[in-house]
Amino acid sequence: MRYVSVTQDEYGNNLDPTAYVKRLPTIAQSLPAGARAFATDPDHYDFFSRRCVKDLLLDRVEFTDNGGEVDLLLGFRHNCWKHEEDLTIRYQGIRSFTLDLPENEPNWRLLREVVLDEILPAPGGCTHEIDCLAGTVLIACRDLEASWAEADCPDRNRSTT
């Protein structure tokens, strides 16, 4: 990622989206409408928000031929201790899709939880890089649309007494 910082040390992951968040007001003007709405959502990089992408788990990948243009749907499952909703991102006009996993294992289910992401302008649209605990996903597309839907989370309502 260009602006979002994700580093590791002996204590774990160090996550810092500050440089991206500061740069976002100038970058946002160049993003397609859907990508702009998702990237600039005030909850997106707020680690205490229920709509922060951190700790979501990729659990659905679907490619669709849309009249000669390839679309992609990524479904992210909630973490019951943090989120109340699942996230679905629909990418229109896929230009590239890159999956980077250790040892080039082609199974996207091995990515594990989302650490952070970054959306940047690109010719004809945008790129969306998603850094996970065990790899990254990089998508170049015309635009994207993100939507949240209530999740079934039985642990959330469990009594601790």
Side-chain angles (χ1 to χ4, degrees):
M1 288 191 270
R2 182 188 279 173
Y3 300 105
V4 173
S5 174
V6 177
T7 58
Q8 293 181 340
D9 62 22
E10 65 272 15
Y11 302 108
N13 290 322
N14 297 302
L15 314 175
D16 189 1
T18 306
Y20 179 71
V21 171
K22 285 182 180 177
R23 182 99 174 144
L24 199 50
T26 56
I27 293 172
Q29 303 170 57
S30 302
L31 289 171
R36 182 181 328 113
F38 183 50
T40 60
D41 182 328
D43 292 333
H44 193 124
Y45 293 98
D46 177 354
F47 294 145
F48 299 103
S49 166
R50 299 240 181 239
R51 286 193 170 179
C52 179
V53 297
K54 185 179 178 320
D55 298 322
L56 292 170
L57 181 65
L58 182 62
D59 76 344
R60 200 163 125 208
V61 176
E62 296 177 12
F63 288 93
T64 308
D65 183 348
N66 187 10
E69 185 175 77
V70 176
D71 293 344
L72 169 65
L73 180 143
L74 295 184
F76 295 88
R77 186 144 175 79
H78 63 282
N79 173 318
C80 282
W81 303 109
K82 179 176 180 180
H83 304 99
E84 295 178 350
E85 298 172 296
D86 292 330
L87 173 65
T88 300
I89 305 176
R90 290 178 170 76
Y91 299 87
Q92 299 92 34
I94 297 299
R95 290 170 174 73
S96 69
F97 175 83
T98 305
L99 179 62
D100 182 21
L101 282 164
E103 301 179 27
N104 296 315
E105 176 65 43
N107 185 349
W108 59 266
R109 293 188 182 276
L110 299 175
L111 286 166
R112 299 185 46 213
E113 290 81 2
V114 171
V115 176
L116 275 180
D117 70 329
E118 181 177 89
I119 301 170
L120 295 174
C126 64
T127 60
H128 187 195
E129 185 170 356
I130 305 166
D131 194 6
C132 300
L133 286 175
T136 59
V137 178
L138 178 60
I139 300 151
C141 62
R142 182 172 35 80
D143 198 3
L144 64 87
E145 177 186 324
S147 60
W148 294 88
E150 186 174 343
D152 176 27
C153 194
D155 291 340
R156 182 175 34 236
N157 298 320
R158 186 180 300 165
S159 173
T160 58
T161 57

